[in-house]
Amino acid sequence: MEVALSILTACLSINELKEQVLEAFASWLRLKHGITGSVLASHPLVLTALSSLNLEPLSEASVNVISELIHYTAAGSSGGVAVQMPLIQVLVPQVMSLKAHLKDSSKDEEDVKAIARLFADMGDSYVELIATGSGESMLIVNALLEVASHPEYYIASMTFNFWHSLQVILTKRDSYLPFGNEASIEVERKRRQDAFVPSYESLVSLVSFRVEYPQDYLDLSHEDRKEFKQTRYAVADVLTDAASVLGGDATLQILYKKLVEAVSRCGNGENNEWRPVEAALFCIRAISNYVSVVEAEVMPQVMALIPKLPQQPQLLQTVCLTIGAYSKWLDSASIGPSILPSLIDTLLGAMGTSEDSAAAAALAFRHICDVSGEGSFKVTAEDSLHLVEALSMVITELPPDNAKRALEALCLPVVTPLQEAVNQGQEILNKRPARELTVHIDRFAYIFRYVKHPEAVADAIQKLWPIFKAIFDLRAWDMRTMESLCRACKYAVRTSGRFMGITIGAMLEEIQGLYKQHHQSCFLYLSSEVIKIFGSDPSCANYLKNLIESLFIHTTLLLTNIQEFTARPDIADDCFLLASRCIRYCPQLFIPSEVFQSLVDCSMIGITVQHREASNSILTFLSDIFDIANSSKGEQYLPIRDSVLIPRGPSITRILIASLTGALPSSRLEPVTYTLLSLTRAYGVRAVEWAKECVSLIPLTAVTEVERSRFLKALSDAASGFDINSMTVPIEEMADVCRRNRTVQEIVQGALRPLELNLTPVS
């Protein structure tokens, strides 16, 4: 090394070789042979390089030498900073003397770049010395801030590594261990960090504008766009370094001021006004992990501004990502629940703005759902379901393979708490409030309802079935849990359809067995959905025939009198809704079966139940039977229908007229009237005779002969094929006459006595 340096020194006398000599010297320095700083500090090669820094144009070779000398002084192989201090004391003042050139507009840009490189090298190499916060080190820091403020990003970014390294030293506890006890460590840590607070505050302001979208962004090439994104990521890293030193809340204060300024300019209608707003919001998002979840001064104002911002695609994308980034703050903030609905509206709007904003909104929903899935999010159950709904709608728009993976990811945080609950065993599970289970099961219902990928949902329900079955078995006594679980299964069946495969058989077997034990009406409405989807499928005929016969036989044994209908209106409602579904979707299984007659008898008992939904379901069931000839394949079932209904015709007519004239509230007149007219159209003159026999039981003190005649004339016209809409007025008049006061109503009901009919089974 010494021989080489001697030769190079000798060559300095040849002026034409000076640049080559300095380049060669720089190359030798990279080998880092252990020459002491005191020797190099006065070496002719070093002095020549230093003097060349002031030449015009700036000597590139001299810059390379000084750069290598700076690295050399910090290298462990050269003895480190302490050994090389004499050389450092020579280098630093010389480099610092170049600071004024950083803002010299007459200076060539390449020269400025070279000078900036020297300052960056000093920062990186001497960061541990600088971190002491001495007066001399702060001069270097200020120079580095000058570099960071340069308008050209590639120059300013030379300092980014320094700010990160300095942050690590300032915040890492190991840096302070030499100071002994905890008290001394804390004092020194605070002194140093306080010393650098102004520098990092300035840094935040200096770099934040660099993330602003260029005006020609849409015209940029793919590579240029990629480079711009890398710039934003690099600036985000610098901001997190600053937040580590300043604290997230203090950094947020600085960035919020920039957001307010940008929004103000946006309100004044300046060109491209959304770009500074987006830039400020991007920076606020970048430091989200450093902002306290209890920050109550700035974040509420930021969130209040968000719904008011322009619906520009890039801005909206950043808005969505910011909402997602602060999901934990929304969870903890006292005003989070009041702000969340407007933010959800913003996210939903973003779903239809652009692909990028939709993806960002989906990610935001996922973050919010993740927090909600932990059971801590302070939103209503309804708001939580809206989040799941929105995510499910996003999954619907994905290609099948992606949708399947996304659906699995969405189900995972929902299924985990259910699996944990099941694993606790029956004794503990039975003690848990229903709400602790249904809050998760209801989310499955929304997922299966809104994810419109049949195969993906079928695959999901197949994987989930063991957990669902366990809950069915362990909580079958719990109406709320069963209703929630059946609702989820209903939507799974509706969405998956015939992709469900073997799962549908297992589901039918489960509800068929549980209904006999626990009489939950939700098993009936789940069966209704199954009938709708699979009723016409010949391969399911045996399953479904066994199902409906089992359910209907057991129901008719429960509903043997009007008191049972009154006590179990939900069972009555869902039973006859299921029966109507059977008439529409699988009459070939239902009408020829033995349960058809039993169910007609059961319906006659329950027509006058006061529960609105139960009564309407029974009336709909009867009118569906009467109207069966109107369907394309209904005529083949008329002999069976008539064999059951004609013997019961007088009784059914009597109950319907009793319902019309007071046995049911006046609010039921429309369905009762329609059912009576359907019966009349189905059986014509015979039905009119049944009605005449019934009306004759009513004393003339309640209904005059003229009123009877008008009523019977309307039924006769209906039997003759007249439009039934024109028949409703005389029938309603009959109802009004019989309901005109309590006395008349009691006379009519006493005559018709719908609850005292003797129903004799017909063989």
Side-chain angles (χ1 to χ4, degrees), residues 174-194:
D174 291 353
S175 304
Y176 303 98
L177 291 180
F179 291 91
N181 59 49
E182 288 295 329
S184 299
I185 287 175
E186 182 57 27
V187 169
E188 180 62 16
R189 186 197 64 79
K190 188 175 186 309
R191 183 194 70 78
R192 290 192 183 189
Q193 291 197 8
D194 287 349

Side-chain angles (χ1 to χ4, degrees), residues 54-304:
N54 297 312
L55 297 178
E56 289 285 350
L58 185 64
S59 167
E60 182 179 351
S62 64
V63 170
N64 290 338
V65 169
I66 304 305
S67 176
E68 292 301 332
L69 285 169
I70 292 171
H71 293 154
Y72 181 80
T73 57
S77 60
S78 67
V81 169
V83 174
Q84 300 295 337
M85 188 56 69
L87 178 56
I88 293 173
Q89 290 172 338
V90 171
L91 294 175
V92 171
Q94 289 292 328
V95 175
M96 290 297 295
S97 68
L98 302 174
K99 178 183 173 184
H101 296 312
L102 291 170
K103 289 192 173 182
D104 187 348
S105 58
S106 65
K107 202 74 174 173
D108 181 78
E109 189 171 295
E110 286 301 314
D111 288 353
V112 174
K113 178 181 176 181
I115 294 169
R117 172 188 161 198
L118 293 179
F119 279 106
D121 286 341
M122 279 203 311
D124 291 338
S125 298
Y126 305 145
V127 64
E128 292 191 3
L129 286 175
I130 294 171
T132 61
S134 65
E136 295 83 357
S137 67
M138 297 311 294
L139 294 175
I140 299 176
V141 171
N142 290 334
L144 288 166
L145 284 172
E146 292 276 4
V147 177
S149 69
H150 196 277
E152 291 295 339
Y153 171 76
Y154 71 90
I155 291 177
S157 62
M158 292 179 182
T159 67
F160 287 2
N161 187 65
F162 162 75
W163 300 113
H164 172 70
S165 300
L166 179 60
Q167 171 268 127
V168 170
I169 294 172
L170 292 175
T171 57
K172 188 171 63 174
R173 189 176 183 279
D174 291 353
S175 304
Y176 303 98
L177 291 180
F179 291 91
N181 59 49
E182 288 295 329
S184 299
I185 287 175
E186 182 57 27
V187 169
E188 180 62 16
R189 186 197 64 79
K190 188 175 186 309
R191 183 194 70 78
R192 290 192 183 189
Q193 291 197 8
D194 287 349
F196 288 99
V197 162
S199 302
Y200 275 98
E201 287 177 342
S202 298
L203 181 66
V204 171
S205 297
L206 290 174
V207 301
S208 57
F209 80 93
R210 298 187 186 277
V211 302
E212 188 173 316
Y213 273 91
Q215 294 186 17
D216 61 346
Y217 177 76
L218 295 178
D219 298 325
L220 295 180
S221 66
H222 174 74
E223 287 302 317
D224 286 341
R225 289 192 183 191
K226 185 177 179 181
E227 185 177 333
F228 173 64
K229 287 184 178 180
Q230 293 301 323
T231 297
R232 283 163 65 97
Y233 295 150
V235 171
D237 288 341
V238 174
L239 291 171
T240 59
D241 289 331
S244 296
V245 176
L246 301 174
D249 294 4
T251 310
L252 179 65
Q253 291 271 6
I254 300 169
L255 295 172
Y256 176 64
K257 290 178 182 177
K258 294 190 173 296
L259 176 63
V260 171
E261 292 170 3
V263 170
S264 175
R265 293 199 300 274
C266 179
N268 293 332
E270 295 183 13
N271 291 334
N272 302 313
E273 65 279 2
W274 65 270
R275 301 173 198 277
V277 176
E278 190 279 336
L281 211 54
F282 175 90
C283 294
I284 289 173
R285 173 201 163 207
I287 63 165
S288 60
N289 289 338
Y290 298 84
V291 175
S292 167
V293 293
V294 296
E295 201 284 330
E297 183 178 349
V298 173
M299 280 312 302
Q301 299 180 70
V302 173
M303 291 299 177

Side-chain angles (χ1 to χ4, degrees), residues 333-364:
S334 59
I335 63 169
S338 63
I339 293 176
L340 192 60
S342 63
L343 297 180
I344 290 176
D345 288 341
T346 299
L347 295 175
L348 290 174
M351 302 294 291
T353 301
S354 70
E355 287 187 12
D356 288 339
S357 65
L363 184 61

Side-chain angles (χ1 to χ4, degrees), residues 284-587:
I284 289 173
R285 173 201 163 207
I287 63 165
S288 60
N289 289 338
Y290 298 84
V291 175
S292 167
V293 293
V294 296
E295 201 284 330
E297 183 178 349
V298 173
M299 280 312 302
Q301 299 180 70
V302 173
M303 291 299 177
L305 274 176
I306 279 178
K308 303 172 185 176
L309 297 178
Q311 300 294 296
Q312 196 281 336
Q314 285 103 330
L315 173 56
L316 197 54
Q317 179 185 10
T318 301
V319 162
C320 295
L321 293 173
T322 303
I323 293 172
Y326 283 91
S327 58
K328 290 185 178 179
W329 179 86
L330 287 167
D331 170 37
S332 300
S334 59
I335 63 169
S338 63
I339 293 176
L340 192 60
S342 63
L343 297 180
I344 290 176
D345 288 341
T346 299
L347 295 175
L348 290 174
M351 302 294 291
T353 301
S354 70
E355 287 187 12
D356 288 339
S357 65
L363 184 61
F365 276 125
R366 179 59 191 271
H367 285 314
I368 295 173
C369 285
D370 283 345
V371 176
S372 178
E374 294 168 4
S376 61
F377 209 100
K378 301 179 183 68
V379 297
T380 65
E382 184 178 0
D383 283 338
S384 174
L385 291 176
H386 287 164
L387 302 180
V388 175
E389 175 186 345
L391 274 176
S392 300
M393 293 168 68
V394 173
I395 293 174
T396 295
E397 300 303 318
L398 297 175
D401 289 343
N402 293 346
K404 186 176 180 180
R405 290 192 295 271
L407 179 58
E408 290 173 354
L410 183 57
C411 289
L412 184 60
V414 185
V415 74
T416 301
L418 290 177
Q419 183 68 70
E420 291 173 352
V422 169
N423 291 344
Q424 290 177 333
Q426 183 169 4
E427 184 176 352
I428 296 176
L429 183 63
N430 283 347
K431 293 178 181 178
R432 297 184 69 167
R435 181 66 185 144
E436 292 184 9
L437 299 175
T438 60
V439 69
H440 304 295
I441 299 171
D442 287 346
R443 290 171 186 163
F444 275 124
Y446 268 62
I447 291 170
F448 297 151
R449 181 179 182 181
Y450 292 106
V451 174
K452 304 300 184 183
H453 281 279
E455 291 186 71
V457 171
D459 185 64
I461 191 66
Q462 182 178 355
K463 292 177 180 176
L464 291 167
W465 178 247
I467 295 176
F468 278 25
K469 184 181 187 305
I471 298 173
F472 269 126
D473 291 339
L474 297 175
R475 296 279 294 209
W477 53 269
D478 175 12
M479 182 180 69
R480 288 184 60 192
T481 300
M482 289 300 100
E483 286 180 345
S484 177
L485 196 55
C486 284
R487 190 181 306 113
C489 289
K490 177 184 77 171
Y491 285 119
V493 170
R494 181 177 296 178
T495 299
S496 301
R498 301 186 182 185
F499 287 105
M500 283 199 71
I502 60 173
T503 311
I504 191 64
M507 189 180 294
L508 296 181
E509 183 179 350
E510 184 73 12
I511 60 178
Q512 185 175 324
L514 291 177
Y515 182 66
K516 294 177 182 179
Q517 302 173 50
H518 299 283
H519 313 150
Q520 301 284 9
S521 64
C522 55
F523 298 144
L524 296 170
Y525 79 64
L526 175 54
S527 300
S528 292
E529 194 65 35
V530 172
I531 291 296
K532 180 179 178 181
I533 302 298
F534 297 96
S536 60
D537 188 342
S539 65
C540 297
N542 288 334
Y543 274 125
L544 298 183
K545 187 173 186 297
N546 291 335
L547 174 71
I548 60 178
E549 288 184 355
S550 173
L551 295 178
F552 286 145
I553 288 173
H554 194 72
T555 302
T556 56
L557 294 176
L558 291 175
L559 303 176
T560 56
N561 53 58
I562 194 64
Q563 289 77 20
E564 290 293 343
F565 274 88
T566 302
R568 305 173 188 267
D570 292 338
I571 287 181
D573 179 22
D574 289 317
C575 170
F576 287 99
L577 284 175
L578 173 59
S580 287
R581 282 274 173 93
C582 290
I583 292 171
R584 285 193 286 275
Y585 295 103
C586 57

Side-chain angles (χ1 to χ4, degrees), residues 5 25 29 35-43 46 69 72 84 87:
L5 295 188
F25 180 37
L29 286 172
I35 303 176
T36 63
S38 57
V39 172
L40 286 173
S42 58
H43 198 284
V46 174
L69 285 169
Y72 181 80
Q84 300 295 337
L87 178 56

